[in-house]
Amino acid sequence: MLAIAAQTGSTLPRFVDAPEPRPPAAGELLCRTLELGVCGTDREILKSAKPWVPAGEDRLILGHECLARIEAVGTGVTDFQSGDLVVPVVRRALPGHSRRPDLLPFGAFVERGIVREHGFSLPLWIDRPEHLFRVPADIVDLAVFTEPLTCAEKGINEATVVQRARMTNDAIWTTTEPPRVLVTGMGPIGFAGVLAAVARGWPVTMVGRDQPDTFRARLVERLGGHYLPTNASELPPDRIEADGYDLLLECTGSDDVLLHAAASVRSCGVIVWVGSDRVPKPEMRNVQKMVRDGLLRNHIHIGCVNAAARDFRDALRDLSLLAKDRRAELTALITARVKPTDALPHYEHREAQGIKTVVMY
């Protein structure tokens, strides 16, 4: 079978031969990849030339955003049957760890296509039912975006838990008392942040480097958000409490962007770090100002990676909800659909004004 892989010592994606999977054993399923999302994480893995490969190997088969069909069911599996469409969970706890998988420390888990377990960029693979979520029929054409959306769902869910606990008010951050949300970055996770906020009925603004007349900026508005270029997004200090934001989803991994955006978060706001460089580079920045603002305004900063089962359920729910009247806009998030044989350039560069590339199997 043909698969797309990262090779130790190389920054280039390559095709590799993968063995045909065995028939599913008891408690297992055989799955067929139908659609595969290309992600910034894939590009970061390649750029590093040091993929976290499975033990004893020198390559990692990529792919963690996947829509698949169940081809065969092992004995003892009752929740799924052949023909079901599913999306897989990426992170899986290693034996002996009972903490929620997305909250485990490095070394206590594997992630398919990312950390020490091969991914889904090949036609057939084996999995277990506890790692799969069934896709509703109404969003089959959008389901490949589920995993990116879970990252934003987790950020919002974690922030909501913290905020309601410290404000002792379960009514806050609802449609009747919504937070003002700021999203930084115009990649797939940034757009996922917009979707998750819009699905909740929360006002959301995306800040990015595009001018307002570009495709991506206009798409933010079509999805129900508001777009601001970075150079028009700064608030004067005396307007932050009145016009600032309650929740920041920082999706770029840029310290410049974080410092700029955090200055617009008002009292008791929550800042969620959703994006990061794989190998952070030291820079001289005025982090002290962010610390001072955070102290005086009682900000909370949350590091957020991967997603829980709760977040997968929410992502599927929100895609179904938004598809009712925004299907064309959701479809527009997929800016390229390519065959596997034409996919390699998309693992090296994202196209100008591109958002999500999907490999069609």
Side-chain angles (χ1 to χ4, degrees):
M1 297 188 301
L2 191 68
I4 299 168
Q7 185 81 30
T8 299
S10 173
T11 61
L12 299 176
R14 62 185 61 197
F15 294 118
V16 298
D17 287 325
E20 292 280 346
R22 55 173 170 73
E28 293 182 337
L29 304 125
L30 177 66
C31 302
R32 179 179 295 277
T33 297
L34 301 179
E35 298 182 9
L36 186 80
V38 180
C39 176
T41 299
D42 298 317
R43 300 185 186 105
E44 287 289 323
I45 291 170
L46 289 160
K47 183 180 177 182
S48 75
K50 295 179 180 179
W52 289 310
V53 298
E57 301 192 36
D58 63 356
R59 68 188 188 188
L60 175 72
I61 293 175
L62 297 170
H64 59 277
E65 302 173 3
C66 181
L67 169 67
R69 182 178 64 236
I70 294 175
E71 297 287 286
V73 178
T75 59
V77 175
T78 58
D79 293 338
F80 294 96
Q81 59 186 3
S82 296
D84 285 348
L85 298 182
V86 295
V87 290
V89 171
V90 179
R91 181 176 291 190
R92 292 100 188 274
L94 292 174
H97 297 280
S98 58
R99 190 189 300 178
R100 209 174 77 191
D102 62 304
L103 300 180
L104 286 170
F106 199 85
F109 60 82
V110 295
E111 290 179 343
R112 295 204 61 163
I114 303 176
V115 178
R116 299 199 168 95
E117 189 163 336
H118 292 310
F120 308 114
S121 67
L122 71 175
L124 293 166
W125 38 276
I126 295 288
D127 217 326
R128 298 187 61 84
E130 60 264 31
H131 301 314
L132 303 173
F133 282 86
R134 184 178 285 102
V135 174
D138 62 319
I139 57 166
V140 170
D141 57 325
L142 304 169
V144 73
F145 203 74
T146 301
E147 196 279 336
L149 184 52
T150 65
C151 300
E153 299 283 359
K154 178 183 176 179
I156 286 179
N157 284 331
E158 296 290 282
T160 301
V161 168
V162 169
Q163 193 73 330
R164 289 178 179 171
R166 69 169 173 161
M167 305 297 279
T168 64
N169 181 359
D170 288 343
I172 66 167
W173 288 24
T174 63
T175 52
T176 56
E177 198 175 331
R180 288 169 50 87
V181 182
L182 178 64
V183 175
T184 55
M186 305 191 73
I189 305 302
F191 275 92
V194 171
L195 295 184
V198 169
R200 288 166 170 77
W202 296 354
V204 56
T205 298
M206 176 184 277
V207 170
R209 292 180 294 183
D210 282 15
Q211 291 304 305
D213 61 348
T214 64
F215 160 73
R216 293 188 303 186
R218 291 195 301 268
L219 184 57
V220 175
E221 303 281 343
R222 288 169 56 198
L223 286 166
H226 177 55
Y227 178 73
L228 281 176
T230 303
N231 58 11
S233 63
E234 188 169 353
L235 289 173
D238 62 345
R239 296 303 303 168
I240 290 172
E241 286 305 308
D243 301 328
Y245 302 92
D246 303 293
L247 173 62
L248 165 61
L249 299 177
E250 205 302 291
C251 304
T252 70
S254 164
D255 47 3
D256 267 348
V257 174
L258 170 62
L259 293 170
H260 177 87
S264 296
V265 177
R266 57 190 178 187
S267 176
C268 290
V270 181
I271 297 165
V272 182
W273 304 342
V274 188
S276 172
D277 282 343
R278 184 180 173 98
V279 182
K281 296 173 284 294
E283 300 282 358
M284 293 295 293
R285 298 286 184 264
N286 189 6
V287 177
Q288 205 169 56
K289 181 181 185 302
M290 184 178 72
V291 172
R292 178 71 173 169
D293 288 346
L295 184 153
L296 294 176
R297 298 180 195 160
N298 287 287
H299 290 167
I300 287 179
H301 290 250
I302 297 176
C304 180
V305 67
N306 207 264
R310 164 203 67 187
D311 309 312
F312 274 84
R313 289 190 291 267
D314 287 353
L316 291 165
R317 175 203 66 198
D318 287 348
L319 284 174
S320 290
L321 176 68
L322 293 168
K324 292 177 181 177
D325 58 4
R326 292 185 173 91
R327 184 174 296 276
E329 289 77 15
L330 293 174
T331 302
L333 292 168
I334 302 174
T335 46
R337 294 180 183 270
V338 299
K339 299 177 182 178
T341 51
D342 299 325
L344 294 193
H346 294 268
Y347 281 84
E348 297 180 72
H349 308 286
R350 192 171 73 193
E351 295 177 320
Q353 291 297 303
I355 301 173
K356 175 57 63 179
T357 293
V358 173
V359 184
M360 309 295 292
Y361 282 76

